[in-house]
Structure formats: structure tokens, C-alpha cells
Amino acid sequence: MIIENSKTYNVNEVENLFFRPSFCGKSAEELGIRILYNMPMPTKIPVFYHHNSILREFSSGWQGDAAGELQETEIAMTKLKAENAYSAETYFSSVYELLTNSAEINLGDLTGTDLEKAETELFRRAICDSIYATMWFGDESGDISDFSGFNGFLRKIVNIREVDNSEAPVSVLNEVVEFSIKELMQEVWVQATPHLRALSTDGQLAYFVSSDIYDAYQFYLDEKGLANITGEGNGRPMLYYHGIPVVELPASQYGLHRAHSFCILTDRRNLVLALNTADSPEKEIKMWYNPDEMENRQRVVFLAGTAVVDPELVSAYIFDNGVVLL
């Protein structure tokens, strides 16, 4: 059986079927970051700082001053194209697997709607996985990973020290070093700015760590018999350090070239992914069968970019050549 019927999704269908289910609402919360969707271009993030109190003893007339300062961070948006090509046999096998996992589908009486839903889900998963990998590990230079569509959070945090020369507490270590896992978690907390530590009361702080650091911390807790495991996250126990969740980022899964070990403390709202499907001339997704090559093809065009809003709200150790965890 060959899936030959071509399908084109317009801008509203692209938004509602492919992007919003994965990057809005509960799905966005599960990604653990802040997501801006179809914001006006150029995409800017307003940040208000109140350095002084705006309260005044009452008297007639205007007494306001510049207590509130507005700063804007602009997200560099990159135009991206995602394409997939499968042989007809491989494509139908992949779609058929999705169909067999649904109890609501009668495999003896497949309709075009059933196939279309499965095709859509297959491509949606591929898009979301690529966006997730790029938003964390993307590097336009190709130094960190092969995901070069746009610079991800890790690249931008490395740049805080290597390019921007910021005084933010970000340590990028080029030599192999030794750390006990307890010392590492503690040091990342201790070196954080007072402003970042104060945000712990908002419940939005998180440690984002590579798999080796996550595993080492889990073994440490197991050995100590400490009750820091509550619930599950992505099928694994959810770990905490002083009440702050520790989130594993499977860097090795995406073939990182460098900085494959890292421990990053920040506020989730400080990491922003912006997606835009409305401001590109190609406001559609296409899926079609190419009879000459005997393969099914999929294509989507959209805009995406990331931003670390305030570098001072990041505390991190990033190890270019790995770390020996004691």
C-alpha cells in the first residue's frame, strides 16, 4: 500500500495541528522553559526593573519618577525549513505503527482520515524533536553539535563567558577536572547572584544538567538514603536539590561535540524559545508522494530563535572535556 494523496495545511492548520499542541499550555510547561508563539516581528521581550519604591506620601500633583526601567531583549529569529523523505515502504510502516497503537482505529477499514492523522502525527513528532534538540544544543558554528539551525541555550550560555565577557557566574572549563557531585551542586548555588537565589521563592528555579551529572546525583542520593525523589519526570524519578528540581537534558542523545557535561541553574522564565508560523511567506506544511523517487516527502517552513533574557540570572559550570565526578 502506498500513501499517494498529497496534503497541504494552511497557516491556521499549521498552528493548531503541528505547533500549539506541542508548544502551548501543558506541553509548554513540560518543556520547562518560557515559550513565545507568533509574537509580532521583530520579537522583543520586555523586562521591567524597579530599582526604587514607587510609593510616595500623598500630596497633590504628580510625584512619579523613573523608578521603573524598561529594557528589551530582542530574539534573533531564523528562517528554518524542515524536510523529511521516506521510501514508500518505510513511510507506510511508520504510519501503520502509529495506527496500530490506537484502539479507536479499525485496521480492517482504514479511512483517508485515519491515514492523514497518522501522517500528521509522524511529522509533528519529528518537528518537535528537532526543535527541542536545537533550542538546547543548537550551534550555528557547528562546534557544539550538528544542530546548526540557530543557537540554543547552551551555546548562548557559553557565549556569556567566551564572547560577551560578562561577569555573570558562568564557568567554562577546558581541562578535565574532578568534582564531587555534592560540591558541584553546592558551588553552582553559592556562586549564583543574590537576585537569582532570591527567585527561589517563586518556584521557577531549576538545575538543567547533562545525563552524567544527573546519574551521579541520583547515585549520591541513593547512597545517602535521602528522600529527594518525588514523582516522575519523563519516566524517571524527579530529583531535587534543596527543593529545586534537577532536570536531565540527554545531551549524548544528540551527539554533542563539546560541553557534553554541564550543570546550569537558572529561572525557567529566563530561557525563552520563540516560534513563528505567521510571518513567513510559506505559511503552510506540505506532504506529498514523489513517484519518480518512490518516496513520501514532508516540508514545513517557520521562524525560530532563543534568548537568555538576563545573563546574571544564570549560574553554570560547563565542562568542554567532561568532568570526573567523585
Side-chain angles (χ1 to χ4, degrees):
M1 181 177 181
I2 298 176
I3 303 173
E4 291 185 335
N5 295 330
S6 62
K7 177 62 180 176
T8 298
Y9 294 93
N10 62 34
V11 62
N12 292 325
E13 291 172 319
V14 170
E15 177 179 336
N16 294 326
L17 296 178
F18 287 86
F19 285 88
R20 284 199 177 276
S22 301
F23 298 104
C24 293
K26 183 173 176 59
S27 296
E29 294 174 4
E30 291 174 350
L31 288 177
I33 60 167
R34 181 180 172 190
I35 298 178
L36 302 179
Y37 190 74
N38 277 351
M39 295 288 287
M41 299 285 288
T43 304
K44 296 184 179 181
I45 309 168
V47 181
F48 285 94
Y49 295 95
H50 289 279
H51 300 294
N52 302 302
S53 173
I54 63 173
L55 302 179
R56 302 287 186 271
E57 183 177 352
F58 177 79
S59 65
S60 60
W62 173 256
Q63 293 180 279
D65 56 22
E69 177 185 350
L70 171 64
Q71 296 183 1
E72 290 185 323
T73 297
E74 182 171 331
I75 302 180
M77 302 291 284
T78 302
K79 187 176 181 180
L80 301 169
K81 179 173 67 172
E83 293 180 322
N84 264 341
Y86 302 85
S87 69
E89 182 179 356
T90 301
Y91 191 66
F92 182 72
S93 297
S94 301
V95 170
Y96 195 79
E97 181 180 359
L98 292 175
L99 290 170
T100 58
N101 290 332
S102 175
E104 300 176 357
I105 293 178
N106 180 4
L107 295 177
D109 183 25
L110 288 175
T111 67
T113 301
D114 295 333
L115 290 173
E116 183 179 309
K117 288 180 179 179
E119 283 185 284
T120 301
E121 177 63 15
L122 182 68
F123 196 26
R124 187 192 67 80
R125 291 183 183 181
I127 294 170
C128 294
D129 189 53
S130 292
I131 291 176
Y132 177 83
T134 308
M135 81 177 185
W136 275 108
F137 309 122
D139 184 4
E140 294 175 351
S141 70
D143 289 341
I144 288 181
S145 75
D146 292 327
F147 294 89
S148 57
F150 56 91
N151 285 336
F153 298 129
L154 186 57
R155 173 77 266 176
K156 294 197 170 185
I157 291 173
V158 169
N159 286 352
I160 289 174
R161 176 63 63 191
E162 293 187 347
V163 178
D164 302 334
N165 294 318
S166 169
E167 295 300 321
V170 174
S171 300
V172 180
L173 305 179
N174 298 313
E175 69 281 358
V176 178
V177 296
E178 295 183 350
F179 254 118
S180 76
I181 188 63
K182 178 182 177 181
E183 290 173 342
L184 177 59
M185 303 293 286
Q186 179 177 319
E187 182 63 23
V188 172
W189 171 259
V190 170
Q191 75 172 10
T193 62
H195 186 190
L196 176 57
R197 292 199 300 269
L199 290 175
S200 62
T201 57
D202 290 354
Q204 294 295 322
L205 294 191
Y207 281 90
F208 295 98
V209 303
S210 52
S211 296
D212 56 337
I213 292 177
Y214 186 94
D215 289 339
Y217 186 54
Q218 185 170 2
F219 289 140
Y220 168 78
L221 295 178
D222 290 343
E223 291 175 358
K224 298 297 182 181
L226 300 176
N228 274 312
I229 301 177
T230 305
E232 289 189 354
N234 295 324
R236 297 196 67 179
M238 182 67 73
L239 307 183
Y240 292 84
Y241 177 79
H242 289 185
I244 300 171
V246 180
V247 180
E248 178 189 12
L249 301 177
S252 58
Q253 177 180 336
Y254 300 108
L256 253 63
H257 303 318
R258 62 180 289 222
H260 60 274
S261 296
F262 52 87
C263 182
I264 300 168
L265 173 66
T266 189
D267 189 292
R268 296 176 185 268
R269 297 163 296 188
N270 196 39
L271 303 178
V272 179
L273 168 68
L275 295 169
N276 192 304
T277 59
D279 289 306
S280 174
E282 304 89 349
K283 301 175 183 178
E284 59 188 18
I285 285 180
K286 292 184 178 181
M287 296 188 289
W288 72 97
Y289 177 71
N290 185 310
D292 295 332
E293 300 296 334
M294 298 183 66
E295 64 183 16
N296 287 82
R297 295 179 175 180
Q298 303 168 321
R299 175 187 293 142
V300 62
V301 178
F302 60 97
L303 300 168
T306 59
V308 177
V309 181
D310 188 345
E312 293 189 2
L313 296 185
V314 177
S315 177
Y317 268 83
I318 299 173
F319 305 94
D320 276 356
N321 297 302
V323 57
V324 177
L325 296 168
L326 305 176

